[in-house]
DNA sequence: GAATGAATAT
DNA sequence: CATATTCATT
């Protein structure tokens, strides 16, 4: 009964670590380790993040979601209202922890997969941000994060419901745009993420139906041992812009502009995205055992985050969750 | 008061 | 456009 993690992915993870020179050229490092530690767990008041899935601590890849602390100087960032001036005083060490804003969360296919899984097993009715968040067991994930994504996800479902009679799981064409509705590039783009995974159609048309009892099933927690951390922020900023422009669907289905990350395909020979260096990654405190019941039946294996097949290109597999 | 969902802001 | 943040209800 010891599900120790395999040194495999772990080793790889280390290997993939970027060289010091490759590291954070424009963010982070501006904050003193001392400060970083102090922030590392800016858990919101309403979000105690019970995090029912933290066991084996060690130097887990748990990326501490410490604010990049743009500090006095802010690079071409979109979110850096430099207002933390004070602090930075090595000694004072007050509690500026509050009012710190985290970087934008990047919903990677993997994360989204967990999201969908959780929703799928909770049932649309019970799928509320809080529950989803708990089920996902993603460290660093906040209820607000989930709520925001959930909102978008619902819109996606609704849209598909209305326009797609049987788009089938993949919504590859994403309803094209025949209804004369406001269907446009936007859909194509959003579809990328949502269509990435097999969307349980059951969500739609699910009216007031008495859903059978589906007790908490810490999906993620029961998964293998992957401890996903939402800390995948701190670096994405660059990618963010990269992804921004490529859009333009040329192919209806196949690529849909798909994930043509120029930077992945050619620009950068090596993954310039693993700079999740962990100066003090061990900031997380292993909370008590999760409410995990005994139902471990879930553990479904949808497609890998990167919508495989479909001539699809690989997408940014961020964290070393190995392979789901 | 906390949480959700929608609207709005960045 | 993707998230974050805010607002109105419950």
């Amino acid at each position: 009964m010891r599900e120790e993690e395999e040194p495999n992915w772990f080793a790889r993870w280390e290997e993939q670590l970027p060289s010091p020179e490759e590291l954070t050229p424009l963010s982070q490092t501006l904050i003193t380790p001392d400060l970083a530690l102090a922030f590392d767990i800016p858990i919101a008041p309403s979000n105690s993040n019970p995090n029912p899935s933290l066991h084996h601590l060690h130097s887990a890849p748990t990326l501490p979601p410490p604010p990049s602390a743009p500090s006095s100087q802010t690079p071409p960032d979109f979110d850096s209202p430099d207002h933390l001036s004070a602090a930075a005083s090595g000694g004072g060490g007050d509690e500026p922890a509050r009012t710190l804003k985290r970087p934008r969360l990047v919903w990677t296919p993997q994360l989204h997969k967990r999201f969908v899984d959780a929703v799928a097993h909770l049932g649309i009715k019970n799928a509320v941000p809080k529950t989803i968040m708990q089920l996902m067991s993603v460290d660093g994930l906040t209820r607000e994060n989930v709520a925001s994504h959930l909102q978008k996800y619902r819109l996606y479902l609704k849209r598909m419901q209305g326009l797609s009679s049987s788009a089938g799981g993949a919504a590859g064409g994403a309803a094209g745009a025949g209804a004369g509705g406001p269907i446009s590039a936007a859909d194509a783009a959003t579809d990328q993420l949502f269509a990435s995974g097999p969307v349980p159609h059951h969500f739609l048309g699910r009216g007031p139906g008495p859903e059978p009892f589906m007790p908490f099933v810490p999906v993620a927690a029961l998964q293998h041992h992957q401890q996903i951390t939402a800390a995948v922020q701190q670096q994405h900023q660059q990618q963010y812009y990269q992804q921004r422009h490529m859009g333009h669907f040329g192919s209806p289905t196949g690529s849909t502009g798909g994930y043509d990350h120029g930077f992945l395909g050619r620009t950068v020979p090596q993954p310039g995205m693993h700079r999740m260096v962990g100066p003090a990654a061990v900031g997380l405190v292993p909370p008590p055992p999760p409410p995990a019941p005994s139902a471990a039946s879930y553990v479904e294996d949808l497609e890998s985050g990167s919508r495989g097949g479909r001539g699809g290109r690989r997408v940014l597999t961020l964290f070393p969750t190995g392979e789901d």
Side-chain angles (χ1 to χ4, degrees):
Chain A
M1 25 186 128
R2 187 45 79 185
E3 65 273 352
E4 281 315 356
E5 59 274 84
E6 295 174 315
N8 266 346
W9 66 269
F10 197 84
R12 282 190 56 190
W13 143 266
E14 234 180 294
E15 282 184 11
Q16 298 185 12
L17 282 178
S19 326
E21 54 250 35
E22 287 288 325
L23 280 180
T24 135
L26 49 88
S27 60
Q28 194 185 56
T29 60
L30 292 170
I31 184 174
T32 76
D34 191 26
L35 209 53
L37 265 175
F39 297 156
D40 103 351
I41 296 193
I43 294 179
S46 54
N47 169 30
S48 301
N49 200 358
N51 217 332
S53 155
L54 282 179
H55 355 288
H56 32 271
L57 32 124
H58 239 17
S59 44
T62 30
L63 210 301
S68 303
S71 217
S72 40
Q73 182 145 15
T74 49
D77 239 338
F78 34 77
D79 60 349
S80 0
D82 48 59
H83 52 200
L84 62 127
S85 31
S89 286
D94 225 32
E95 62 322 285
R98 241 184 236 195
T99 65
L100 282 176
K101 84 198 268 157
R102 311 174 167 229
R104 284 161 70 109
L105 174 72
V106 176
W107 282 90
T108 71
Q110 277 83 5
L111 263 178
H112 181 68
K113 180 194 181 254
R114 274 181 109 109
F115 171 83
V116 174
D117 277 353
V119 175
H121 286 110
L122 280 171
I124 284 295
K125 297 189 332 220
N126 296 330
V128 291
K130 193 190 213 170
T131 309
I132 295 173
M133 176 190 70
Q134 294 181 235
L135 269 170
M136 289 178 70
S137 293
V138 174
D139 174 27
L141 227 187
T142 70
R143 185 172 61 78
E144 312 280 353
N145 287 135
V146 176
S148 185
H149 194 69
L150 179 61
Q151 182 176 23
K152 204 176 63 170
Y153 186 66
R154 280 172 173 162
L155 286 176
Y156 167 76
L157 292 179
K158 184 170 291 191
R159 179 173 218 73
M160 186 168 295
Q161 185 177 34
L163 298 171
S164 149
S165 23
S166 67
I183 306 190
S184 71
D187 294 298
T190 58
D191 287 352
Q192 287 183 35
L193 211 192
F194 290 161
S196 305
V199 177
H201 353 240
H202 318 80
F203 291 5
L204 309 176
R206 206 54 164 196
E211 186 86 7
F213 293 162
M214 189 60 116
F216 278 23
V217 178
V219 148
L222 297 176
Q223 279 274 28
H224 305 137
H225 43 263
Q226 2 183 314
Q227 174 178 243
I228 299 190
T229 67
V232 279
Q233 351 171 332
Q234 284 204 10
Q235 63 195 18
H236 67 277
Q237 302 171 349
Q238 305 175 1
Q239 316 177 350
Y240 185 77
Y241 282 127
Q242 301 262 11
Q243 280 185 284
R244 287 274 51 75
H245 322 131
M246 50 75 105
H248 304 355
F249 36 88
S251 312
T253 9
S255 8
T256 315
Y259 282 139
D260 258 3
H261 301 350
F263 83 113
L264 257 190
R266 58 191 291 278
T267 304
V268 74
Q270 70 167 310
M273 44 213 301
H274 294 102
R275 52 180 50 134
M276 28 189 348
V277 59
V282 302
L284 301 168
V285 285
S294 40
S297 23
Y298 173 90
V299 193
E300 196 170 299
D301 196 306
L302 301 166
E303 205 150 303
S304 218
S306 35
R307 101 298 315 307
R310 244 212 260 64
R313 260 221 205 251
R314 273 244 204 259
V315 307
L316 4 97
T317 58
L318 267 155
F319 35 98
T321 53
E323 62 242 30
D324 223 277

